[in-house]
Amino acid sequence: MDVRKAIETRKSVRAYAPGIIEQEKMEAIVRAGGLAPVFGQFHITVIENPALLQEINATTLEMMKHSGNEFLEKRAAMEGYNPLYGAPAMIVLSAPGGNDSNGFNMANVSCAAENMILEATELGLGSCFVMGPMICFADPELLKKAEIPEGYTPLVGVLAGWPAEKIADRKRNTSGQVTWLR
């Protein structure tokens, strides 16, 4: 698959089939994140431990229910809603000090996440960029369990796994999103 094909076929997967991702595939995804165009430091934490993933999911769901954010509260109230969508892997991208006032740290981790998402697509895996589950890391105990380096704050995550359903080709019209100045 070439880069364009990966971009065109990438889709946010919100339902994953049971099963682990092979180690060499996870390593390729992580390597892709490390090759992102960045101008600062960030840290990658790969969580595949089912018990920890379940704890992150449950903590996120509870925090969403009481967040005061109408969108998050509505999502959390949906029957059977699962913030991690049953993904067997969560890759957490953290930056020192969290998001800085210029947004550089968010740009860095987002670039790394996009590389990871495209690599997962190349490997035939499903993925989903997430920010909502990062609220669970407000719990210092969970931050410790996830072994986030001291002084680093989780900003974004990438969920990865085998899609529960075949990913259909998608069409998106982007013509209204572009202004050409020639």
Side-chain angles (χ1 to χ4, degrees):
M1 182 182 302
D2 64 28
V3 175
R4 183 178 314 168
K5 185 69 173 169
I7 292 169
E8 290 173 352
T9 58
R10 187 223 55 84
K11 181 180 186 304
S12 294
V13 173
R14 291 189 171 82
Y16 294 88
I20 60 169
I21 301 169
E22 296 89 337
Q23 183 67 29
E24 62 274 4
K25 289 186 179 188
M26 284 304 299
E27 288 172 2
I29 293 168
V30 170
R31 187 172 44 255
L35 295 172
V38 298
F39 44 93
Q41 296 179 355
F42 66 95
H43 183 80
I44 300 170
T45 304
V46 180
I47 303 172
E48 298 174 294
N49 177 299
L52 184 54
L53 288 169
Q54 183 54 41
E55 186 174 352
I56 290 168
N57 190 74
T59 303
T60 301
L61 188 61
E62 276 307 304
M63 288 183 161
M64 287 173 70
K65 286 178 181 177
H66 308 289
S67 67
N69 178 299
E70 185 179 346
F71 174 78
L72 295 178
E73 289 176 355
K74 282 183 179 180
R75 293 289 277 186
M78 292 170 52
E79 183 70 32
Y81 179 71
N82 178 347
L84 301 187
Y85 307 115
M90 179 182 190
I91 304 163
V92 178
L93 296 144
S94 305
N99 198 14
D100 57 283
S101 61
N102 294 315
F104 294 151
N105 286 341
M106 185 60 80
N108 288 335
V109 297
S110 295
C111 284
E114 182 65 15
N115 273 16
M116 292 176 172
I117 288 166
L118 292 174
E119 182 65 26
T121 302
E122 164 70 24
L123 296 169
L125 294 163
S127 63
C128 187
F129 178 89
V130 293
M131 292 177 70
M134 299 305 106
I135 64 174
C136 75
F137 292 109
D139 178 344
E141 202 53 38
L142 198 51
L143 198 64
K144 188 176 176 180
K145 286 180 184 178
E147 298 182 25
I148 304 300
E150 189 168 333
Y152 280 65
T153 301
L155 296 176
V156 303
V158 174
L159 303 177
W162 298 104
E165 298 176 0
K166 183 182 181 314
I167 297 175
D169 287 344
R170 65 187 188 117
K171 303 288 185 229
R172 183 182 289 171
N173 181 355
T174 60
S175 62
Q177 298 171 320
V178 179
T179 300
W180 295 91
L181 303 174
R182 295 184 173 150

